[in-house]
Amino acid sequence: MNKNYEEELRGIIKAFGENGILENIIIIGSWATYFYVKIFDGFIPSIRTLDVDCYVPMNKNITVKKSVKEALKPLNYEQIFDTSTEKNKFISPDGFEIEFLTKLRRNQSAVVRIDSMGVNAETLGNLDIFDNGFIEVDFEGFSVKVASPSVYVMQKILISKKRSDEKFRKDLESLLLVYEEIKKNELHMSQYMTLVNSLGKGTKKTYNDYINNNNLAMYK
Amino acid sequence: MSILKSVLEEELERNLRNQKIYKEMLSNLPKGSIYISSRNGKQYIYRKNRVGKKIINEYICALSNSEKAEEEIKRSEDYSRIFKNLNLAIKEELRLRKALKAYE
């Protein structure tokens, strides 16, 4: 892993942690796997993205000390808006991008304004899986919520149909790496099995199709 | 294609895209630095800008006009910050191109 990327992530976590933002978000996407080194011995994450995705469950009132824009300013991040979609993200000169996402609710628009944080969170399907599907890891004095390994794998599978070929390939590689660790760990394997067994009929079919179409030796 | 090469190419693409964004943001902000000048016991805000070989001092408002003064100071700070970020991005572009040369 590029040392600079780790330092970048440290900076982001620190900025969020010091400003009350961290407790309101769950790190999802490939950067969640960076934190799995804390729970899986010898795990080496394979992260090939500069995108940091932050899921905002929005299940309580959000209060922060500073807006995300102000918190990230010292790290040279700029908040940019897409005027046609109202989506926003934070970009840095070294290519990192931070996006905020939240779950899609019925009759909701494509973006939701979170005033206290000063961000427009993009609404996407299959994100509610993270509401109860996260772990907390201690990272340099901050408690960081990240997608639990089981839910990380499951979500990658469930969104696979919507992915481009390249992202599909990257996701497959990443989830298999994580699944290998899950298999070695009794607790996490039990959680994974519980998750699979709790899937509704339609979702279970999507899951099974993915396993079969990609010839994967995974629990089903 | 090497995985690292494709990662570098993706990063370069993103870098160039971001540089374009920074330039667009800068084009919507006033160029130059803000300074405060005192006259007859009152304070006034000016913007100093180099145009060719000339330094142009543009009057903005009295410091007592706090809303406008605050806005202009903020815009000037935004310009400086984004200009700095653009330069950092340009340095990063050079680093990426150098790294990509190894794959030629």
Side-chain angles (χ1 to χ4, degrees):
Chain A
M1 166 116 14
N2 187 321
K3 241 188 184 170
N4 285 338
Y5 294 173
E6 287 187 63
E7 279 170 25
E8 185 80 26
L9 186 73
R10 268 194 207 104
I12 294 168
I13 297 297
K14 186 168 182 275
F16 283 178
E18 287 173 349
N19 293 290
I21 295 163
L22 203 56
E23 61 212 53
N24 294 299
I25 62 170
I26 300 169
I27 307 289
I28 63 173
S30 300
W31 278 99
T33 67
Y34 174 77
F35 298 93
Y36 294 166
V37 298
K38 299 271 183 182
I39 55 171
F40 295 137
D41 280 336
F43 176 66
I44 300 172
S46 168
I47 301 170
R48 297 208 303 274
T49 178
L50 295 175
D51 295 340
V52 179
D53 295 327
C54 303
Y55 171 61
V56 188
M58 291 185 65
N59 48 13
K60 57 169 184 157
N61 280 335
I62 295 174
T63 51
V64 296
K65 291 179 192 169
K66 275 187 190 172
S67 68
V68 173
K69 180 180 174 178
E70 290 307 311
L72 291 177
K73 240 188 217 176
L75 301 177
N76 303 321
Y77 278 85
E78 295 299 333
Q79 185 173 24
I80 61 169
F81 288 88
D82 182 325
T83 47
S84 55
T85 64
E86 292 183 14
K87 289 180 191 171
N88 77 205
K89 58 184 173 186
F90 296 82
I91 64 170
S92 81
D94 53 18
F96 262 70
E97 289 184 9
I98 304 171
E99 283 185 283
F100 290 83
L101 311 166
T102 193
K103 57 180 162 270
L104 180 65
R105 290 190 171 99
R106 203 177 289 182
N107 300 324
Q108 202 169 50
S109 56
V111 294
V112 166
R113 177 75 185 165
I114 306 175
D115 277 325
S116 49
M117 288 168 68
V119 304
N120 289 351
E122 187 181 352
T123 57
L124 291 173
N126 297 118
L127 291 184
D128 52 335
I129 197 173
F130 294 111
D131 282 346
N132 296 311
F134 64 89
I135 54 173
E136 288 194 59
V137 298
D138 182 57
F139 183 74
E140 313 228 336
F142 295 104
S143 177
V144 186
K145 294 189 191 109
V146 302
S148 74
S150 307
V151 171
Y152 175 83
V153 169
M154 183 58 68
Q155 195 254 354
K156 287 288 186 193
I157 291 173
L158 296 181
I159 64 169
S160 59
K161 279 185 187 167
K162 299 172 194 167
R163 303 289 263 176
S164 65
D165 286 347
E166 194 180 331
K167 283 194 174 179
F168 179 94
R169 199 177 34 81
K170 278 185 186 173
D171 286 352
L172 176 57
E173 183 191 313
S174 179
L175 72 88
L176 286 177
L177 259 177
V178 175
Y179 186 73
E180 279 306 304
E181 298 302 318
I182 288 173
K183 273 196 313 187
K184 294 180 210 167
N185 185 299
E186 208 176 302
L187 169 67
H188 285 282
M189 191 61 207
S190 162
Q191 287 175 354
Y192 187 80
M193 288 163 69
T194 303
L195 181 61
V196 172
N197 294 335
S198 71
L199 295 176
K201 203 173 166 186
T203 313
K204 189 74 191 285
K205 185 180 183 307
T206 302
Y207 176 80
N208 285 342
D209 286 348
Y210 184 90
I211 305 294
N212 296 333
N213 294 342
N214 294 288
N215 298 313
L216 301 174
M218 288 175 72
Y219 176 78
K220 59 177 180 177
Chain B
M1 186 192 289
S2 146
I3 291 171
L4 280 176
K5 187 185 177 195
S6 73
V7 167
L8 284 169
E9 282 175 343
E10 212 176 295
E11 283 183 38
L12 180 60
E13 203 180 316
R14 175 176 287 201
N15 175 283
L16 295 173
R17 208 170 53 227
N18 286 352
Q19 281 190 48
K20 200 176 160 195
I21 291 170
Y22 289 136
K23 286 174 185 168
E24 207 175 293
M25 289 170 94
L26 286 173
S27 70
N28 293 326
L29 289 166
K31 207 175 167 183
S33 55
I34 296 276
Y35 69 93
I36 296 169
S37 175
S38 298
R39 256 194 347 265
N40 302 325
K42 288 184 182 169
Q43 291 181 306
Y44 302 93
I45 295 180
Y46 288 82
R47 179 173 288 114
K48 185 165 62 177
N49 193 10
R50 181 184 292 275
V51 179
K53 287 184 181 176
K54 277 187 185 173
I55 303 276
I56 310 281
N57 295 296
E58 179 198 344
Y59 171 75
I60 297 178
C61 66
L63 194 58
S64 55
N65 183 348
S66 56
E67 207 178 297
K68 182 157 171 66
E70 245 177 66
E71 190 194 323
E72 290 298 329
I73 290 169
K74 188 187 171 301
R75 290 176 87 200
S76 177
E77 285 171 357
D78 284 346
Y79 188 94
S80 299
R81 189 187 67 249
I82 295 168
F83 185 76
K84 179 185 139 196
N85 286 342
L86 173 60
N87 285 331
L88 287 170
I90 291 169
K91 274 189 187 159
E92 179 68 7
E93 179 195 345
L94 294 172
R95 185 192 75 78
L96 289 167
R97 290 195 188 277
K98 193 177 169 184
L100 271 168
K101 269 201 169 145
Y103 294 92
E104 279 168 16

